[in-house]
Amino acid sequence: MNRYSLIIIFALLLVGCASAPMQAPAASTLPDAAPQEPLPSPTGDGVTEPEPVRSGNPAVVALLDRARMDTGAGNRGAAGASLERGLRIEPRNAWLWHELAQLRLASGQYAQAVSLARKSISFAGGDRRLQAANWRVIGNARVAQGDSAGAEQAFKLAAEFEPVVPTEQPATGLFGNP
Amino acid sequence: MKFPSLPWNRFPFNINFRSHARAIRLTVLVLLLGLSGYILYLDITIREAFEGRKFALPARVYGRALEVYPGLKLTPAQLVEELKTVGYHEDPEPEAAATYKYTLNGLEFTTRDFVFGDGPQAAQHLRIEFAEGRVSLLQDRGSADVDLPLLRIEPPLIGGIYPGHNEDRALLKLEQVPKPLIDALVSIEDRKYYSHWGIDPRGIARALYKTLSGQRIEGGSTLTQQLVKNFFLTSERTLTRKGTEVLMALLLEMHYGKDEILETYLNEIFLGQDATRAIHGFGLASHFYFDRPLERLELQEIATLVGMVKGPTVYDPRKNPELVLQRRNIVLQEMVRLDAITQAQFVEARQKPLGVIHRAPTGTSAYPAFLQLVHRQLQRDYREEDLRSEGLRIFTTLDPRVQRQAEQALSQRLADIEKARRMTARTLEGAVVVSSTQHGEILALVGGREARYAGYNRAVDALRPIGSLAKPIVFLTALEHSDRYTLVTPLDDSALVLKQAGTSDWKPQNYDHKYHDHVQLRTALAHSYNVSTARLGIELGVDNILDKLPLYGIERRPPSFASSLLGAFELSPVEVAQLYQTFADGGFRTPLRAIREIVTADGRPLQRYPLNVDPVAAAAPVYLLTNALQGVVREGTAQSLGNWLPAEMNVAGKTGTTDDLRDSWFAGYTGDRVAVVWVGRDDNKPSGLTGASGAMTIWGEMMKNIEPEPLLPTMPEDVELVNVDPVSGLVYDRECSTAVVIPFIKGTAPTETTPCADVATILPTDESPVIATDVKSEAKPEMNQTPEKSWLQRLFN
């Protein structure tokens, strides 16, 4: 074996050593990947707002669709079960936590709506649109709880995160408002 | 007007003749009335008994359903194991429900129709492929293959419970019962079963003759009579009882068909006794004697059970195996004589040993501890009458794979520790709880080292002092006062004597019996220093700290003594898991759950236990606490966890050791799992183990096999990372190779700076700590570890 081939083998070994441990963690965080890119801001009137990418995992997307269907059919219990299935696959997906908060809001469970929205915020990172949506859930829940000062504060925060959204636009989410 | 003479006018004259006949007629009438009344009474009684048993369907308890999707970390072997757990079998043409076959890169299989808690899912023909330890393809096999985003496999049945009765049964439908069993039963017990009306007159005559001639009452009972007898079990053997039995048997046959009666018989007949528990029915007996469901018994095993019907107390295969073997062979002989089996089958079955397992499992479930928790939750949340609704289906959170790893790690490590320390075998006991971080679902619960046997459920019922596991509560309270405490705040670790009303003077000691002057807050936790923790807690106020326990889901209130801060109060392992769940989940408390939902037999949701969260601690202090708990594993008392898990896992955890080494604890979390292990002795004598040498080794062994996600908590917005000098805790004035990165709540990092003397190049390399790679080696107890390393050494940690 000549020196040249030895160098090549050595180089290959090095590449192998270097890439193997790097792949593992990258792959292992794959199912937990949160929505990455902040979405383009709506163009003023809020009509052309694109659907946000809620998960990169088709399994989670399928479960979100199913939750939407169940909610449409008036079956909030089953919708909640689907969202929880999604969360078992992607426990740190801030959109799933947000959808669950919306669902609780729609079911009149205001305290849980607030808690779940806070949980979503804790995973939302730099997604300002999601932050705003969560503060709107909190605001709406506080209105329903009779906490007008708290609600005002939450709506103000929502506006800070997403200043271009007109105030009369309802909270965007699968489950609407109560 | 003269009245015509009425008959009763003449009554006195005819008294002898007429009154006699009348009296007899009257008596007969009364007797008949009485008898029909009695028969009516018997009829009601027997029907009630029969209906009661017939409809007592148990609640079926399921584990979690495995969700399979492209990208999931799963191997073909793991999938096959799961499929086998839910009763699939290999088939070269896997088109029937619950069959599979291996292909080049994966499997082809067909699922069953299954009604989940949120609706039905039809059977599917599927193809799955794997690459690099993950699912790479999931398809619906059809005329055109369709990619599927997600598949939910039927959940494993983990047990059946009678929520109302607290009674264990394995109920069978007649079609589930193997034909040889019915053949054998009819052959040996009641050959005319399908033609008689409930009684066998010849048998009765024989029994009557023997009784009248002073011999013992015996035999002659049809299956129907035996069933009646079984409903009202008494040892009484009298003619009236026999008469009642005959009448009831006739009545039963009038009301019900042969199949119905036979099905009830198979579920009801007495087949043995296990301490205070009666073994009723072939389903349960099959588990009790062979540890397998009835469907999986072999011919000779079926014959054994049938043979025992004659008298399970005498024909007890564990007490009188010879007698039972003889009886079994008589049953086999009778079967071959009546052509129920072939001569070849007979010869083969006859040669086999009894095969009864030596020690009976205590139930039909492989997960008695978990099932007990489910049962308690049901009892807490329901009125008994709600649970009587037949055929409830209970969907739980148990993950059989995690459970298996937890059981194996506990039993294996305890045996290893006993051997290595020359302890008497089976001295140590333990318990394990594993839950999912963000959902609070209990994935595994092990109540003792023999997990298969129900008994003392230590995971739920063992209340033990938690020792240093309590310290994070003190440190979190401190970090919540961010104006006063950061991770590098120096704490006083000098000798302390505390005089408290109502108790003797308290002089906490460190484990190494030394005092450490001033130590950084993170170091005090990493090395679990008692004195500085006690001083910190007293500064914060003992009650201020203990009052927070309910926030973290701990209902018990420890006594208001400073010693409580060092864990001189008792919790169960499952309560400790609840406590650490909040730390693991960034300050959100999620009540631990074992049940997801309960559905009635017709698929109507009865109850859901939805995921609830509650923000009980601010994210930033919890983030700092987690960082300090990662320090426990990186450089503190749990450093030897590195023997099991790689540093990249970033595990956060805490060891706990109580006085005289009675209790050994470890509680910790990864990105997706919270787990607590307790080790000790049931008699509460010293176990000789620290948290690190006992419980932590089990934790490590288990987690290694569970393959958890690394812990990478999201950094809250009000936290910043700062390079500080590990020794002084001061901020470096520039980039420095000796710096450690410490998180601070914004605005709380030390303002003083220290110059960086970059001297890394002159470090002697042989002083770097050796990370042991021998996984089998016994972990070092806490006392053997260097309490404080120099900053040079720590550089390499």
Side-chain angles (χ1 to χ4, degrees):
Chain A
M1 200 183 285
N2 62 27
R3 224 157 96 195
Y4 189 64
S5 60
L6 268 176
I7 289 169
I8 289 177
I9 289 168
F10 184 61
L12 281 174
L13 275 173
L14 267 182
V15 168
C17 292
S19 59
M22 284 172 72
Q23 270 171 357
S28 67
T29 52
L30 186 75
D32 280 4
Q36 265 118 39
E37 281 153 68
L39 286 128
S41 304
T43 55
D45 56 5
V47 176
T48 56
E49 196 174 348
E51 184 83 345
V53 180
R54 293 185 162 92
S55 172
N57 185 336
V60 174
V61 173
L63 287 166
L64 275 161
D65 286 346
R66 186 175 166 155
R68 192 189 295 249
M69 233 169 59
D70 283 330
T71 308
N75 191 349
R76 290 198 185 115
S82 292
L83 291 176
E84 288 189 32
R85 284 175 69 193
L87 280 169
R88 283 194 280 273
I89 297 172
E90 291 189 342
R92 297 154 74 92
N93 181 323
W95 274 105
L96 283 169
W97 288 105
H98 173 69
E99 300 292 357
L100 205 55
Q102 290 270 21
L103 185 65
R104 296 283 195 276
L105 181 66
S107 315
Q109 293 164 286
Y110 304 117
Q112 267 308 304
V114 172
S115 293
L116 290 163
R118 285 190 172 282
K119 180 104 181 177
S120 175
I121 289 168
S122 78
F123 293 128
D127 189 340
R128 299 183 67 84
R129 177 172 169 182
L130 184 54
Q131 300 268 24
N134 278 310
W135 283 112
R136 278 194 295 272
V137 169
I138 294 173
N140 286 325
R142 283 181 179 160
V143 167
Q145 286 172 318
D147 174 10
S148 51
E152 197 181 326
Q153 203 183 2
F155 286 129
K156 216 177 113 193
L157 274 163
E160 274 172 32
F161 277 112
E162 204 173 49
V164 278
V165 173
T167 43
E168 66 268 29
Q169 184 177 323
T172 54
L174 297 186
F175 308 105
N177 294 315
Chain B
M1 193 180 162
K2 198 178 176 188
F3 286 103
S5 61
L6 294 168
W8 55 80
N9 287 348
R10 280 176 278 160
F11 192 64
F13 304 100
N14 299 325
I15 191 150
N16 285 337
F17 174 71
R18 300 293 288 258
S19 70
H20 216 76
R22 274 170 178 277
I24 288 169
R25 261 162 41 202
L26 208 68
T27 313
V28 168
L29 194 71
V30 167
L31 274 178
L32 273 177
L33 268 173
L35 187 67
S36 44
Y38 183 60
I39 288 176
L40 192 70
Y41 161 75
L42 288 185
D43 191 48
I44 291 167
T45 314
I46 190 69
R47 280 169 72 178
E48 257 180 20
F50 190 83
E51 295 290 338
R53 300 307 159 109
K54 198 168 143 253
F55 294 114
L57 272 178
R60 276 168 295 168
V61 184
Y62 295 94
R64 66 88 188 92
L66 181 68
E67 307 262 11
V68 180
Y69 51 91
L72 175 71
K73 217 190 316 177
L74 188 75
T75 63
Q78 286 168 337
L79 179 60
V80 166
E81 196 174 357
E82 179 77 22
L83 292 178
K84 281 182 176 164
T85 309
V86 291
Y88 283 49
H89 52 90
E90 209 171 343
D91 190 323
E93 298 292 327
E95 302 309 316
T99 56
Y100 69 91
K101 80 165 183 193
Y102 282 99
T103 59
L104 194 61
N105 297 320
L107 296 172
E108 284 183 3
F109 60 109
T110 297
T111 60
R112 300 185 183 93
D113 291 331
F114 190 85
V115 181
F116 285 93
D118 55 0
Q121 177 179 293
Q124 285 167 291
H125 301 283
L126 299 154
R127 170 179 304 116
I128 190 167
E129 289 180 6
F130 300 85
E132 291 163 19
R134 286 176 188 273
V135 176
S136 57
L137 176 101
L138 181 66
Q139 279 185 334
D140 203 337
R141 287 181 284 136
S143 46
D145 295 340
V146 184
D147 280 337
L148 283 182
L150 180 65
L151 163 73
R152 184 161 47 163
I153 294 175
E154 309 95 86
L157 186 65
I158 59 168
I161 49 179
Y162 282 77
H165 301 183
N166 198 10
E167 185 186 353
D168 194 12
R169 287 279 171 102
L171 275 197
L172 300 163
K173 290 262 157 216
L174 192 60
E175 54 270 21
Q176 282 175 273
V177 179
K179 186 159 183 308
L181 191 149
I182 295 168
D183 290 342
L185 189 68
V186 172
S187 307
I188 198 86
E189 289 292 328
D190 187 0
R191 230 168 288 163
K192 294 185 189 144
Y193 176 70
Y194 285 101
S195 55
H196 64 57
W197 308 341
I199 55 166
D200 174 12
R202 275 182 58 198
I204 301 234
R206 194 170 63 240
L208 212 77
Y209 167 76
K210 290 205 173 176
T211 312
L212 293 177
S213 59
Q215 299 172 45
R216 282 190 53 187
I217 296 178
E218 58 149 50
S221 285
T222 63
L223 292 182
T224 319
Q225 281 171 282
Q226 290 179 26
L227 176 61
V228 168
K229 213 185 301 180
N230 213 83
F231 280 148
F232 309 101
L233 262 186
T234 64
S235 52
E236 194 194 357
R237 287 165 182 271
T238 61
L239 267 183
T240 30
R241 211 193 90 93
K242 193 84 191 169
T244 310
E245 187 187 294
V246 165
L247 280 173
M248 281 185 160
L250 288 167
L251 288 165
L252 211 53
E253 293 268 350
M254 273 168 60
H255 289 299
Y256 303 102
K258 289 284 181 190
D259 283 352
E260 269 179 300
I261 293 171
L262 186 62
E263 185 177 276
T264 309
Y265 178 96
L266 292 165
N267 283 313
E268 191 59 34
I269 197 72
F270 175 67
L271 281 167
Q273 189 76 30
D274 177 28
T276 58
R277 182 176 69 131
I279 307 298
H280 283 281
F282 282 92
L284 185 56
S286 172
H287 284 280
F288 183 66
Y289 294 108
F290 299 105
D291 199 16
R292 260 175 294 153
L294 191 65
E295 297 93 308
R296 285 172 49 204
L297 291 193
E298 292 177 23
L299 176 62
Q300 74 281 359
E301 292 164 336
I302 286 170
T304 304
L305 291 182
V306 170
M308 289 167 54
V309 168
K310 192 176 180 190
T313 319
V314 178
Y315 294 99
D316 179 340
R318 294 198 178 94
K319 279 191 203 130
N320 301 319
E322 284 301 312
L323 198 64
V324 175
L325 194 72
Q326 275 173 28
R327 175 80 185 155
R328 178 195 83 179
N329 291 343
I330 290 172
V331 174
L332 288 170
Q333 199 139 27
E334 204 63 11
M335 287 177 84
V336 75
R337 201 169 71 78
L338 297 172
D339 291 329
I341 52 171
T342 64
Q343 188 69 29
Q345 281 178 306
F346 169 69
V347 172
E348 197 198 335
R350 210 189 131 92
Q351 285 166 350
K352 299 257 177 83
L354 265 186
V356 168
I357 55 155
H358 179 64
R359 193 175 154 193
T362 41
T364 49
S365 173
Y367 313 105
F370 184 84
L371 222 57
Q372 191 189 38
L373 185 70
V374 169
H375 199 177
R376 285 204 199 162
Q377 195 174 340
L378 291 174
Q379 282 175 328
R380 188 192 66 198
D381 296 351
Y382 288 93
R383 290 170 309 154
E384 207 180 302
E385 50 266 42
D386 295 332
L387 293 169
R388 285 243 173 85
S389 158
E390 63 174 290
L392 291 182
R393 297 161 77 236
I394 300 170
F395 293 91
T396 73
T397 57
L398 182 95
D399 185 329
R401 211 176 117 217
V402 177
Q403 175 77 20
R404 193 159 43 242
Q405 300 303 349
E407 288 174 7
Q408 278 173 10
L410 181 68
S411 62
Q412 189 56 51
R413 283 294 310 152
L414 288 185
D416 287 353
I417 291 169
E418 283 166 347
K419 215 171 145 194
R421 297 180 169 232
R422 299 200 164 76
M423 295 165 85
T424 317
R426 314 215 157 268
T427 313
L428 297 172
E429 261 300 349
V432 186
V433 181
V434 186
S435 64
S436 67
T437 303
Q438 284 87 7
H439 325 99
E441 295 194 328
I442 296 180
L443 306 173
L445 189 86
V446 188
R449 62 195 288 180
E450 282 194 77
R452 185 73 177 78
Y453 297 94
Y456 186 34
N457 189 349
R458 293 164 193 83
V460 177
D461 294 328
L463 288 173
R464 295 296 191 135
I466 64 168
S468 300
L469 294 194
K471 284 178 184 157
I473 309 164
V474 180
F475 283 80
L476 180 58
T477 309
L479 292 167
E480 283 173 334
H481 295 89
S482 59
D483 51 332
R484 285 156 66 195
Y485 299 99
T486 70
L487 288 177
V488 297
T489 303
L491 299 181
D492 182 358
D493 195 63
S494 62
L496 168 72
V497 179
L498 186 70
K499 295 181 191 304
Q500 289 177 112
T503 180
S504 50
D505 286 359
W506 186 56
K507 285 180 264 183
Q509 294 283 322
N510 284 325
Y511 190 81
D512 57 5
H513 297 288
K514 289 179 189 154
Y515 299 102
H516 306 92
D517 193 20
H518 279 85
V519 292
Q520 287 176 22
L521 186 141
R522 63 192 178 101
T523 313
L525 186 61
H527 295 288
S528 205
Y529 293 145
N530 289 332
V531 186
S532 38
T533 305
R535 282 182 175 276
L536 175 65
I538 292 162
E539 225 169 86
L540 291 161
V542 174
D543 281 329
N544 290 339
I545 296 167
L546 297 179
D547 286 347
K548 301 181 82 177
L549 282 173
L551 280 181
Y552 310 135
I554 305 300
E555 300 302 330
R556 281 176 226 280
R557 180 61 158 84
S560 296
F561 297 133
S563 57
S564 292
L565 303 176
L566 301 183
F569 64 94
E570 296 169 340
L571 291 180
S572 67
V574 76
E575 284 171 311
V576 174
Q578 179 72 70
L579 178 66
Y580 275 71
Q581 197 276 329
T582 301
F583 307 149
D585 199 13
F588 287 89
R589 182 193 65 210
T590 300
L592 292 184
R593 294 183 295 170
I595 304 177
R596 284 182 190 163
E597 56 207 338
I598 303 176
V599 181
T600 59
D602 54 357
R604 191 171 46 85
L606 187 68
Q607 169 99 45
R608 266 180 221 283
Y609 290 83
L611 175 56
N612 284 335
V613 299
D614 208 353
V616 293
V622 176
Y623 183 83
L624 302 192
L625 175 71
T626 291
N627 185 275
L629 289 172
Q630 286 172 321
V632 173
V633 177
R634 200 170 49 243
E635 58 203 5
T637 56
Q639 206 176 19
S640 50
L641 192 62
N643 289 349
W644 283 270
L645 293 166
E648 304 87 81
M649 200 54 78
N650 287 317
V651 173
K654 186 73 197 79
T655 52
T657 310
T658 61
D659 289 349
D660 306 322
L661 306 178
R662 286 176 206 276
D663 303 282
S664 161
W665 288 94
F666 190 77
Y669 45 98
T670 66
D672 57 346
R673 303 279 180 256
V674 180
V676 174
V677 177
W678 168 83
V679 173
R681 293 175 56 155
D682 281 346
D683 59 11
N684 205 20
K685 287 187 178 149
S687 66
L689 296 168
T690 62
S693 61
M696 191 204 73
T697 70
I698 293 160
W699 200 97
E701 177 75 21
M702 169 180 78
M703 278 297 181
K704 184 187 78 184
N705 295 325
I706 289 175
E707 302 175 51
E709 297 290 329
L711 177 59
L712 304 162
T714 315
M715 194 167 79
E717 279 190 355
D718 51 343
V719 171
E720 59 181 346
L721 298 175
V722 179
N723 289 322
V724 299
D725 170 8
V727 180
S728 68
L730 297 180
V731 178
Y732 276 124
D733 56 356
R734 59 187 172 91
E735 286 283 310
C736 199
S737 61
T738 54
V740 288
V741 180
I742 303 282
F744 289 90
I745 294 176
K746 279 178 185 164
T748 66
T751 43
E752 258 183 283
T753 56
T754 184
C756 169
D758 233 330
V759 288
T761 44
I762 58 162
L763 283 176
T765 46
D766 56 347
E767 273 193 37
S768 56
V770 177
I771 302 296
T773 47
D774 181 9
V775 174
K776 290 266 165 10
S777 75
E778 178 93 340
K780 285 183 210 154
E782 284 154 314
M783 59 201 294
N784 291 349
Q785 282 170 11
T786 332
E788 182 76 320
K789 290 195 174 75
S790 76
W791 64 272
L792 282 177
Q793 284 175 303
R794 225 180 294 125
L795 195 66
F796 282 89
N797 283 352

